[in-house]
Amino acid sequence: MSKSSSVYLTGSKHFSFITNEKNNNLPKWTESKIKKTQTIKKIVCGRGIHCLIWKKPNKLEFYQKGNQKRKYQLPKNEAIKDIVSSYQTYLILTESGKVWSLANTNRLKEVPLLDADQSTFEKIRPVTFFTEKKLFVYSLIMGSYSCYYLCNGDQLYASGSNEEGSLGIGQEGGQEPMPVYVQDKVTKIFAGSHSLNFFFTTSKPDLLYACGSNFNGELGIGVASTVSQISPVVVKNFQGSEIMTVSSSGCYSILITKKGQTFGCGYEGANGHGVDKAIFTLIPQLKEKKAVQLSIGSSQILVLTDENELYGWGFNENRLFPTDEFENNNSNNFPKKISLPGYFTNYLDSKDMIRIVSGSLVSFLYLDFNKALLQDLRILFESQKFCDCEIGTLGNTIPAHKTLVECRTKLTIDQIQKKLFGEKSTINKEQTLSFLKWVYHDEISDFEKLEQNFGALQLTFPPFVDNTLEKDIAQLYQDDDSKDFKILAKIDKIDQENDEDEDKEEEEEEGNYEEIQVHKFILLARSGLFREMFDNVNEKDNINKVKDYSNKTIESLEILIKYFYTNSIKLTADEDPELIVDELSDAVEYYQLNDQCNLESELLKIKMQFDLN
């Protein structure tokens, strides 16, 4: 069975307060005391001995040395979109385009938008500047003492300290948000929580701008200088390479392209090359690897590949890497593979579930179980198998699963077609695709396009906190009328007389099965066993039932099917917990499920609740 936590960390003894290693350094990946949950969406940490965890759509938890865990909840209609951190400040962006702050009042120069009477990390408060100016914030990022905000699609603002020209607004200014002018339309903004420089991608996907400190050549503009770059300037060497992410910390920067190539520049001890570089240069040790995640702390770099291999390098002063693999208190100039805790080995074949986080005194490793359902539905959407409807205009349609689309929108397919693609419709295939990405995995990739779709459908946008994929799928379990498939679960045979004729035997044999209703797309999304089964069936045959040969009881099968919808197992008083645990212990393997740890956790809860050995 799985352990009690899916969050591991390594680093300074200062962070031992969230482990069982009291006042000891954490030289190896150490299990935390943070409860295992499938709802952790993101962990961020800055300079201090604290971290912020985004859990449910509008709920956060704050851990700080010397204080009890604090819980925060935003208003019900505010769904969190992202959280970011700097030295002593956290900012929260919601889907409504509003910004909220949680900060140490002793560090007001970072984000000077807090009420003067706010106590240290006492509560989350709204940043009113943007709502007063009628600015909708699409994304934000924080550096050491400053922050950038991308508003209304293409307007860039910066606030906080202008140290080393990090705001990109020239020599003067700072504190209150001010507009930043870039020659091309900015599409994304990047930084590191310990950096004095920022990067921007534009409408030209291979064009990158940068501003701020450049003492070691960390901006990648071709020259190192003690004179800071006070206005955005073009970064060299990236024509033809679309950029996925960039991050930096003090004197070096690391960049990953959409193709997964990893580049470094700046200080020799951390840029991945061992010598100073003033332009981004491909890191040789990662040349054959496809990077998918990057996290930079004050002195360490972590990179995760598409094969779930973890690489790290940098200065190991605070034991930010396991010391049995890295030299302590020395600079490790080149990327080196880091072993994952044994707990994570079950997920090496799962894409987009392992998360990496680096702070100044700690590195975190955790699993995003919330992605299991989204990942299953994303795979189903991309496969376009067994779709039973099409969304779009004639000759420009996208296949979809009718029940899921109607479940998410509370509209019929005919109503959706009429509202989105009527005679005067201007919605194209790209906008339709953006809409279906929200339907299948809650993705809001293009705010403007999705907002137009929601407007045409007369749906509230951005979606309310309660209007999540997980909640919609859980509610769908109750909708028996829309269930289009049956699993025939075997029940105990009825004793039959020897003189029964063959026809009667066949009739009674058919009566030895009980029907469990389910949605076909749920089986296709959650179970590899059913995907393989349907792969061998002609879609035109319209198969609507199948016998289950697992020899599990109806009771266990019904609980498993409900789990497919809800990601949880709750037993009633008349259900046998020991039987359920026993029969579902091999369900992951038999039904080929992706979310092994979550199901194991649910079974572990039952064992603990009923004191089962």
Side-chain angles (χ1 to χ4, degrees), residues 319-347:
R319 299 168 178 82
L320 300 168
F321 305 117
T323 53
D324 55 349
E325 300 177 17
F326 281 80
E327 293 183 36
N328 189 34
N329 294 327
N330 287 309
S331 180
N332 298 269
N333 295 350
F334 305 104
K336 187 174 181 179
K337 190 173 179 180
I338 300 174
S339 299
L340 298 177
Y343 175 73
F344 285 75
T345 57
N346 291 327
Y347 304 93

PDB file of all heavy atoms in Angstrom, residues 319-347:
ATOM      1  N   ARG A 319      22.089  21.298   0.791  1.00  0.00           N
ATOM      2  CA  ARG A 319      21.696  19.907   0.551  1.00  0.00           C
ATOM      3  C   ARG A 319      20.405  19.829  -0.248  1.00  0.00           C
ATOM      4  O   ARG A 319      19.478  19.083   0.072  1.00  0.00           O
ATOM      5  CB  ARG A 319      21.547  19.157   1.880  1.00  0.00           C
ATOM      6  CG  ARG A 319      22.855  19.116   2.674  1.00  0.00           C
ATOM      7  CD  ARG A 319      22.644  18.630   4.091  1.00  0.00           C
ATOM      8  NE  ARG A 319      23.904  18.552   4.815  1.00  0.00           N
ATOM      9  CZ  ARG A 319      24.497  19.596   5.388  1.00  0.00           C
ATOM     10  NH1 ARG A 319      23.941  20.788   5.301  1.00  0.00           N
ATOM     11  NH2 ARG A 319      25.643  19.450   6.032  1.00  0.00           N
ATOM     12  N   LEU A 320      20.367  20.629  -1.308  1.00  0.00           N
ATOM     13  CA  LEU A 320      19.177  20.680  -2.144  1.00  0.00           C
ATOM     14  C   LEU A 320      19.101  19.514  -3.112  1.00  0.00           C
ATOM     15  O   LEU A 320      18.118  19.350  -3.820  1.00  0.00           O
ATOM     16  CB  LEU A 320      19.142  22.012  -2.898  1.00  0.00           C
ATOM     17  CG  LEU A 320      19.097  23.233  -1.961  1.00  0.00           C
ATOM     18  CD1 LEU A 320      19.360  24.501  -2.726  1.00  0.00           C
ATOM     19  CD2 LEU A 320      17.770  23.314  -1.247  1.00  0.00           C
ATOM     20  N   PHE A 321      20.173  18.720  -3.178  1.00  0.00           N
ATOM     21  CA  PHE A 321      20.173  17.458  -3.888  1.00  0.00           C
ATOM     22  C   PHE A 321      20.542  16.371  -2.888  1.00  0.00           C
ATOM     23  O   PHE A 321      21.225  16.634  -1.901  1.00  0.00           O
ATOM     24  CB  PHE A 321      21.196  17.447  -5.021  1.00  0.00           C
ATOM     25  CG  PHE A 321      21.037  18.571  -6.012  1.00  0.00           C
ATOM     26  CD1 PHE A 321      22.039  19.516  -6.180  1.00  0.00           C
ATOM     27  CD2 PHE A 321      19.897  18.672  -6.773  1.00  0.00           C
ATOM     28  CE1 PHE A 321      21.896  20.540  -7.081  1.00  0.00           C
ATOM     29  CE2 PHE A 321      19.748  19.699  -7.680  1.00  0.00           C
ATOM     30  CZ  PHE A 321      20.749  20.638  -7.845  1.00  0.00           C
ATOM     31  N   PRO A 322      20.121  15.131  -3.139  1.00  0.00           N
ATOM     32  CA  PRO A 322      20.549  14.046  -2.257  1.00  0.00           C
ATOM     33  C   PRO A 322      22.071  13.959  -2.198  1.00  0.00           C
ATOM     34  O   PRO A 322      22.733  13.881  -3.233  1.00  0.00           O
ATOM     35  CB  PRO A 322      19.938  12.803  -2.918  1.00  0.00           C
ATOM     36  CG  PRO A 322      18.766  13.327  -3.688  1.00  0.00           C
ATOM     37  CD  PRO A 322      19.189  14.686  -4.172  1.00  0.00           C
ATOM     38  N   THR A 323      22.654  13.998  -0.989  1.00  0.00           N
ATOM     39  CA  THR A 323      24.112  14.080  -0.867  1.00  0.00           C
ATOM     40  C   THR A 323      24.815  12.782  -1.183  1.00  0.00           C
ATOM     41  O   THR A 323      26.043  12.760  -1.318  1.00  0.00           O
ATOM     42  CB  THR A 323      24.500  14.526   0.562  1.00  0.00           C
ATOM     43  OG1 THR A 323      23.859  13.671   1.507  1.00  0.00           O
ATOM     44  CG2 THR A 323      24.064  15.948   0.812  1.00  0.00           C
ATOM     45  N   ASP A 324      24.074  11.665  -1.289  1.00  0.00           N
ATOM     46  CA  ASP A 324      24.741  10.439  -1.696  1.00  0.00           C
ATOM     47  C   ASP A 324      24.978  10.418  -3.206  1.00  0.00           C
ATOM     48  O   ASP A 324      25.660   9.542  -3.715  1.00  0.00           O
ATOM     49  CB  ASP A 324      23.951   9.204  -1.272  1.00  0.00           C
ATOM     50  CG  ASP A 324      22.515   9.223  -1.778  1.00  0.00           C
ATOM     51  OD1 ASP A 324      22.078  10.282  -2.284  1.00  0.00           O
ATOM     52  OD2 ASP A 324      21.845   8.185  -1.686  1.00  0.00           O
ATOM     53  N   GLU A 325      24.424  11.400  -3.908  1.00  0.00           N
ATOM     54  CA  GLU A 325      24.615  11.477  -5.350  1.00  0.00           C
ATOM     55  C   GLU A 325      25.383  12.740  -5.754  1.00  0.00           C
ATOM     56  O   GLU A 325      25.934  12.805  -6.844  1.00  0.00           O
ATOM     57  CB  GLU A 325      23.254  11.455  -6.059  1.00  0.00           C
ATOM     58  CG  GLU A 325      22.457  10.190  -5.768  1.00  0.00           C
ATOM     59  CD  GLU A 325      21.085  10.216  -6.424  1.00  0.00           C
ATOM     60  OE1 GLU A 325      20.883  11.025  -7.340  1.00  0.00           O
ATOM     61  OE2 GLU A 325      20.233   9.408  -6.033  1.00  0.00           O
ATOM     62  N   PHE A 326      25.425  13.745  -4.875  1.00  0.00           N
ATOM     63  CA  PHE A 326      26.092  15.006  -5.186  1.00  0.00           C
ATOM     64  C   PHE A 326      27.072  15.369  -4.076  1.00  0.00           C
ATOM     65  O   PHE A 326      26.835  15.080  -2.908  1.00  0.00           O
ATOM     66  CB  PHE A 326      25.066  16.143  -5.324  1.00  0.00           C
ATOM     67  CG  PHE A 326      24.361  16.159  -6.639  1.00  0.00           C
ATOM     68  CD1 PHE A 326      23.302  15.301  -6.876  1.00  0.00           C
ATOM     69  CD2 PHE A 326      24.756  17.031  -7.648  1.00  0.00           C
ATOM     70  CE1 PHE A 326      22.639  15.302  -8.082  1.00  0.00           C
ATOM     71  CE2 PHE A 326      24.093  17.042  -8.856  1.00  0.00           C
ATOM     72  CZ  PHE A 326      23.040  16.186  -9.086  1.00  0.00           C
ATOM     73  N   GLU A 327      28.146  16.027  -4.470  1.00  0.00           N
ATOM     74  CA  GLU A 327      29.098  16.520  -3.476  1.00  0.00           C
ATOM     75  C   GLU A 327      28.457  17.662  -2.698  1.00  0.00           C
ATOM     76  O   GLU A 327      27.914  18.600  -3.277  1.00  0.00           O
ATOM     77  CB  GLU A 327      30.372  17.014  -4.161  1.00  0.00           C
ATOM     78  CG  GLU A 327      31.174  15.908  -4.831  1.00  0.00           C
ATOM     79  CD  GLU A 327      32.464  16.455  -5.432  1.00  0.00           C
ATOM     80  OE1 GLU A 327      33.046  17.362  -4.823  1.00  0.00           O
ATOM     81  OE2 GLU A 327      32.855  15.976  -6.489  1.00  0.00           O
ATOM     82  N   ASN A 328      28.537  17.579  -1.377  1.00  0.00           N
ATOM     83  CA  ASN A 328      27.949  18.605  -0.534  1.00  0.00           C
ATOM     84  C   ASN A 328      28.864  19.824  -0.459  1.00  0.00           C
ATOM     85  O   ASN A 328      30.081  19.714  -0.458  1.00  0.00           O
ATOM     86  CB  ASN A 328      27.700  18.043   0.875  1.00  0.00           C
ATOM     87  CG  ASN A 328      26.885  18.998   1.719  1.00  0.00           C
ATOM     88  OD1 ASN A 328      26.022  19.692   1.201  1.00  0.00           O
ATOM     89  ND2 ASN A 328      27.162  19.021   2.997  1.00  0.00           N
ATOM     90  N   ASN A 329      28.231  21.016  -0.404  1.00  0.00           N
ATOM     91  CA  ASN A 329      28.958  22.281  -0.268  1.00  0.00           C
ATOM     92  C   ASN A 329      29.914  22.545  -1.419  1.00  0.00           C
ATOM     93  O   ASN A 329      30.855  23.312  -1.298  1.00  0.00           O
ATOM     94  CB  ASN A 329      29.728  22.327   1.059  1.00  0.00           C
ATOM     95  CG  ASN A 329      28.799  22.357   2.247  1.00  0.00           C
ATOM     96  OD1 ASN A 329      27.709  22.928   2.165  1.00  0.00           O
ATOM     97  ND2 ASN A 329      29.195  21.731   3.336  1.00  0.00           N
ATOM     98  N   ASN A 330      29.703  21.890  -2.549  1.00  0.00           N
ATOM     99  CA  ASN A 330      30.523  22.150  -3.719  1.00  0.00           C
ATOM    100  C   ASN A 330      29.626  22.399  -4.919  1.00  0.00           C
ATOM    101  O   ASN A 330      28.481  21.953  -4.969  1.00  0.00           O
ATOM    102  CB  ASN A 330      31.448  20.952  -4.019  1.00  0.00           C
ATOM    103  CG  ASN A 330      32.586  20.850  -3.017  1.00  0.00           C
ATOM    104  OD1 ASN A 330      33.289  21.825  -2.765  1.00  0.00           O
ATOM    105  ND2 ASN A 330      32.741  19.672  -2.425  1.00  0.00           N
ATOM    106  N   SER A 331      30.198  23.106  -5.893  1.00  0.00           N
ATOM    107  CA  SER A 331      29.456  23.361  -7.116  1.00  0.00           C
ATOM    108  C   SER A 331      29.485  22.123  -7.995  1.00  0.00           C
ATOM    109  O   SER A 331      30.543  21.558  -8.256  1.00  0.00           O
ATOM    110  CB  SER A 331      30.060  24.556  -7.864  1.00  0.00           C
ATOM    111  OG  SER A 331      29.337  24.806  -9.050  1.00  0.00           O
ATOM    112  N   ASN A 332      28.327  21.679  -8.411  1.00  0.00           N
ATOM    113  CA  ASN A 332      28.206  20.576  -9.353  1.00  0.00           C
ATOM    114  C   ASN A 332      27.834  21.184 -10.698  1.00  0.00           C
ATOM    115  O   ASN A 332      26.664  21.479 -10.959  1.00  0.00           O
ATOM    116  CB  ASN A 332      27.139  19.595  -8.878  1.00  0.00           C
ATOM    117  CG  ASN A 332      27.485  18.969  -7.528  1.00  0.00           C
ATOM    118  OD1 ASN A 332      28.109  17.939  -7.455  1.00  0.00           O
ATOM    119  ND2 ASN A 332      27.067  19.637  -6.449  1.00  0.00           N
ATOM    120  N   ASN A 333      28.858  21.427 -11.531  1.00  0.00           N
ATOM    121  CA  ASN A 333      28.687  22.262 -12.713  1.00  0.00           C
ATOM    122  C   ASN A 333      27.849  21.639 -13.820  1.00  0.00           C
ATOM    123  O   ASN A 333      27.332  22.357 -14.668  1.00  0.00           O
ATOM    124  CB  ASN A 333      30.051  22.631 -13.298  1.00  0.00           C
ATOM    125  CG  ASN A 333      30.858  23.507 -12.349  1.00  0.00           C
ATOM    126  OD1 ASN A 333      30.322  23.977 -11.351  1.00  0.00           O
ATOM    127  ND2 ASN A 333      32.112  23.727 -12.654  1.00  0.00           N
ATOM    128  N   PHE A 334      27.749  20.327 -13.831  1.00  0.00           N
ATOM    129  CA  PHE A 334      27.120  19.672 -14.965  1.00  0.00           C
ATOM    130  C   PHE A 334      25.913  18.845 -14.522  1.00  0.00           C
ATOM    131  O   PHE A 334      25.895  18.305 -13.410  1.00  0.00           O
ATOM    132  CB  PHE A 334      28.135  18.770 -15.672  1.00  0.00           C
ATOM    133  CG  PHE A 334      29.381  19.496 -16.084  1.00  0.00           C
ATOM    134  CD1 PHE A 334      30.557  19.334 -15.360  1.00  0.00           C
ATOM    135  CD2 PHE A 334      29.376  20.363 -17.172  1.00  0.00           C
ATOM    136  CE1 PHE A 334      31.698  20.004 -15.719  1.00  0.00           C
ATOM    137  CE2 PHE A 334      30.521  21.045 -17.535  1.00  0.00           C
ATOM    138  CZ  PHE A 334      31.689  20.871 -16.810  1.00  0.00           C
ATOM    139  N   PRO A 335      24.896  18.713 -15.395  1.00  0.00           N
ATOM    140  CA  PRO A 335      23.707  17.930 -15.046  1.00  0.00           C
ATOM    141  C   PRO A 335      24.054  16.494 -14.684  1.00  0.00           C
ATOM    142  O   PRO A 335      24.870  15.845 -15.337  1.00  0.00           O
ATOM    143  CB  PRO A 335      22.867  17.978 -16.328  1.00  0.00           C
ATOM    144  CG  PRO A 335      23.305  19.218 -17.017  1.00  0.00           C
ATOM    145  CD  PRO A 335      24.766  19.362 -16.711  1.00  0.00           C
ATOM    146  N   LYS A 336      23.433  16.024 -13.624  1.00  0.00           N
ATOM    147  CA  LYS A 336      23.642  14.661 -13.168  1.00  0.00           C
ATOM    148  C   LYS A 336      22.288  14.057 -12.826  1.00  0.00           C
ATOM    149  O   LYS A 336      21.434  14.723 -12.249  1.00  0.00           O
ATOM    150  CB  LYS A 336      24.544  14.650 -11.935  1.00  0.00           C
ATOM    151  CG  LYS A 336      24.955  13.254 -11.480  1.00  0.00           C
ATOM    152  CD  LYS A 336      25.957  13.335 -10.342  1.00  0.00           C
ATOM    153  CE  LYS A 336      26.397  11.946  -9.899  1.00  0.00           C
ATOM    154  NZ  LYS A 336      27.391  12.017  -8.797  1.00  0.00           N
ATOM    155  N   LYS A 337      22.108  12.804 -13.191  1.00  0.00           N
ATOM    156  CA  LYS A 337      20.829  12.150 -12.948  1.00  0.00           C
ATOM    157  C   LYS A 337      20.620  11.921 -11.455  1.00  0.00           C
ATOM    158  O   LYS A 337      21.530  11.473 -10.748  1.00  0.00           O
ATOM    159  CB  LYS A 337      20.766  10.818 -13.698  1.00  0.00           C
ATOM    160  CG  LYS A 337      19.374  10.187 -13.706  1.00  0.00           C
ATOM    161  CD  LYS A 337      19.331   8.950 -14.597  1.00  0.00           C
ATOM    162  CE  LYS A 337      17.962   8.316 -14.598  1.00  0.00           C
ATOM    163  NZ  LYS A 337      17.917   7.109 -15.465  1.00  0.00           N
ATOM    164  N   ILE A 338      19.413  12.236 -10.992  1.00  0.00           N
ATOM    165  CA  ILE A 338      19.052  12.090  -9.587  1.00  0.00           C
ATOM    166  C   ILE A 338      18.040  10.960  -9.459  1.00  0.00           C
ATOM    167  O   ILE A 338      17.024  10.938 -10.168  1.00  0.00           O
ATOM    168  CB  ILE A 338      18.446  13.395  -9.033  1.00  0.00           C
ATOM    169  CG1 ILE A 338      19.447  14.543  -9.147  1.00  0.00           C
ATOM    170  CG2 ILE A 338      18.009  13.217  -7.587  1.00  0.00           C
ATOM    171  CD1 ILE A 338      18.868  15.887  -8.747  1.00  0.00           C
ATOM    172  N   SER A 339      18.288  10.043  -8.557  1.00  0.00           N
ATOM    173  CA  SER A 339      17.355   8.937  -8.336  1.00  0.00           C
ATOM    174  C   SER A 339      16.081   9.450  -7.673  1.00  0.00           C
ATOM    175  O   SER A 339      16.127  10.296  -6.781  1.00  0.00           O
ATOM    176  CB  SER A 339      17.990   7.865  -7.445  1.00  0.00           C
ATOM    177  OG  SER A 339      19.139   7.322  -8.056  1.00  0.00           O
ATOM    178  N   LEU A 340      14.952   8.922  -8.106  1.00  0.00           N
ATOM    179  CA  LEU A 340      13.672   9.266  -7.496  1.00  0.00           C
ATOM    180  C   LEU A 340      13.408   8.337  -6.319  1.00  0.00           C
ATOM    181  O   LEU A 340      13.898   7.200  -6.294  1.00  0.00           O
ATOM    182  CB  LEU A 340      12.546   9.133  -8.518  1.00  0.00           C
ATOM    183  CG  LEU A 340      12.629  10.039  -9.751  1.00  0.00           C
ATOM    184  CD1 LEU A 340      11.479   9.726 -10.698  1.00  0.00           C
ATOM    185  CD2 LEU A 340      12.587  11.503  -9.353  1.00  0.00           C
ATOM    186  N   PRO A 341      12.636   8.782  -5.336  1.00  0.00           N
ATOM    187  CA  PRO A 341      12.265   7.877  -4.236  1.00  0.00           C
ATOM    188  C   PRO A 341      11.538   6.657  -4.783  1.00  0.00           C
ATOM    189  O   PRO A 341      10.849   6.730  -5.805  1.00  0.00           O
ATOM    190  CB  PRO A 341      11.333   8.744  -3.372  1.00  0.00           C
ATOM    191  CG  PRO A 341      11.623  10.151  -3.760  1.00  0.00           C
ATOM    192  CD  PRO A 341      12.044  10.118  -5.189  1.00  0.00           C
ATOM    193  N   GLY A 342      11.679   5.537  -4.083  1.00  0.00           N
ATOM    194  CA  GLY A 342      11.044   4.315  -4.535  1.00  0.00           C
ATOM    195  C   GLY A 342       9.549   4.467  -4.742  1.00  0.00           C
ATOM    196  O   GLY A 342       8.955   3.831  -5.613  1.00  0.00           O
ATOM    197  N   TYR A 343       8.940   5.324  -3.935  1.00  0.00           N
ATOM    198  CA  TYR A 343       7.501   5.558  -4.018  1.00  0.00           C
ATOM    199  C   TYR A 343       7.070   6.015  -5.407  1.00  0.00           C
ATOM    200  O   TYR A 343       5.960   5.766  -5.854  1.00  0.00           O
ATOM    201  CB  TYR A 343       7.126   6.598  -2.961  1.00  0.00           C
ATOM    202  CG  TYR A 343       5.693   7.059  -2.980  1.00  0.00           C
ATOM    203  CD1 TYR A 343       4.675   6.234  -2.534  1.00  0.00           C
ATOM    204  CD2 TYR A 343       5.361   8.330  -3.427  1.00  0.00           C
ATOM    205  CE1 TYR A 343       3.359   6.664  -2.537  1.00  0.00           C
ATOM    206  CE2 TYR A 343       4.054   8.770  -3.427  1.00  0.00           C
ATOM    207  CZ  TYR A 343       3.061   7.935  -2.986  1.00  0.00           C
ATOM    208  OH  TYR A 343       1.760   8.357  -2.988  1.00  0.00           O
ATOM    209  N   PHE A 344       7.974   6.717  -6.121  1.00  0.00           N
ATOM    210  CA  PHE A 344       7.634   7.315  -7.412  1.00  0.00           C
ATOM    211  C   PHE A 344       7.827   6.347  -8.578  1.00  0.00           C
ATOM    212  O   PHE A 344       7.420   6.652  -9.695  1.00  0.00           O
ATOM    213  CB  PHE A 344       8.478   8.572  -7.652  1.00  0.00           C
ATOM    214  CG  PHE A 344       8.032   9.746  -6.839  1.00  0.00           C
ATOM    215  CD1 PHE A 344       8.308   9.815  -5.482  1.00  0.00           C
ATOM    216  CD2 PHE A 344       7.324  10.794  -7.402  1.00  0.00           C
ATOM    217  CE1 PHE A 344       7.899  10.892  -4.709  1.00  0.00           C
ATOM    218  CE2 PHE A 344       6.902  11.873  -6.650  1.00  0.00           C
ATOM    219  CZ  PHE A 344       7.193  11.918  -5.294  1.00  0.00           C
ATOM    220  N   THR A 345       8.467   5.213  -8.326  1.00  0.00           N
ATOM    221  CA  THR A 345       8.785   4.311  -9.438  1.00  0.00           C
ATOM    222  C   THR A 345       7.543   3.731 -10.089  1.00  0.00           C
ATOM    223  O   THR A 345       7.581   3.348 -11.262  1.00  0.00           O
ATOM    224  CB  THR A 345       9.701   3.161  -8.963  1.00  0.00           C
ATOM    225  OG1 THR A 345       9.055   2.455  -7.888  1.00  0.00           O
ATOM    226  CG2 THR A 345      11.030   3.705  -8.469  1.00  0.00           C
ATOM    227  N   ASN A 346       6.431   3.673  -9.364  1.00  0.00           N
ATOM    228  CA  ASN A 346       5.189   3.166  -9.953  1.00  0.00           C
ATOM    229  C   ASN A 346       4.615   4.110 -10.996  1.00  0.00           C
ATOM    230  O   ASN A 346       3.699   3.737 -11.732  1.00  0.00           O
ATOM    231  CB  ASN A 346       4.134   2.938  -8.862  1.00  0.00           C
ATOM    232  CG  ASN A 346       4.485   1.784  -7.948  1.00  0.00           C
ATOM    233  OD1 ASN A 346       5.095   0.819  -8.377  1.00  0.00           O
ATOM    234  ND2 ASN A 346       4.115   1.895  -6.689  1.00  0.00           N
ATOM    235  N   TYR A 347       5.136   5.342 -11.054  1.00  0.00           N
ATOM    236  CA  TYR A 347       4.547   6.360 -11.929  1.00  0.00           C
ATOM    237  C   TYR A 347       5.476   6.771 -13.059  1.00  0.00           C
ATOM    238  O   TYR A 347       5.231   7.760 -13.736  1.00  0.00           O
ATOM    239  CB  TYR A 347       4.147   7.582 -11.089  1.00  0.00           C
ATOM    240  CG  TYR A 347       3.233   7.191  -9.984  1.00  0.00           C
ATOM    241  CD1 TYR A 347       3.737   6.884  -8.724  1.00  0.00           C
ATOM    242  CD2 TYR A 347       1.879   7.027 -10.209  1.00  0.00           C
ATOM    243  CE1 TYR A 347       2.908   6.449  -7.713  1.00  0.00           C
ATOM    244  CE2 TYR A 347       1.042   6.592  -9.208  1.00  0.00           C
ATOM    245  CZ  TYR A 347       1.554   6.308  -7.957  1.00  0.00           C
ATOM    246  OH  TYR A 347       0.719   5.866  -6.962  1.00  0.00           O
TER     247      TYR A 347
END
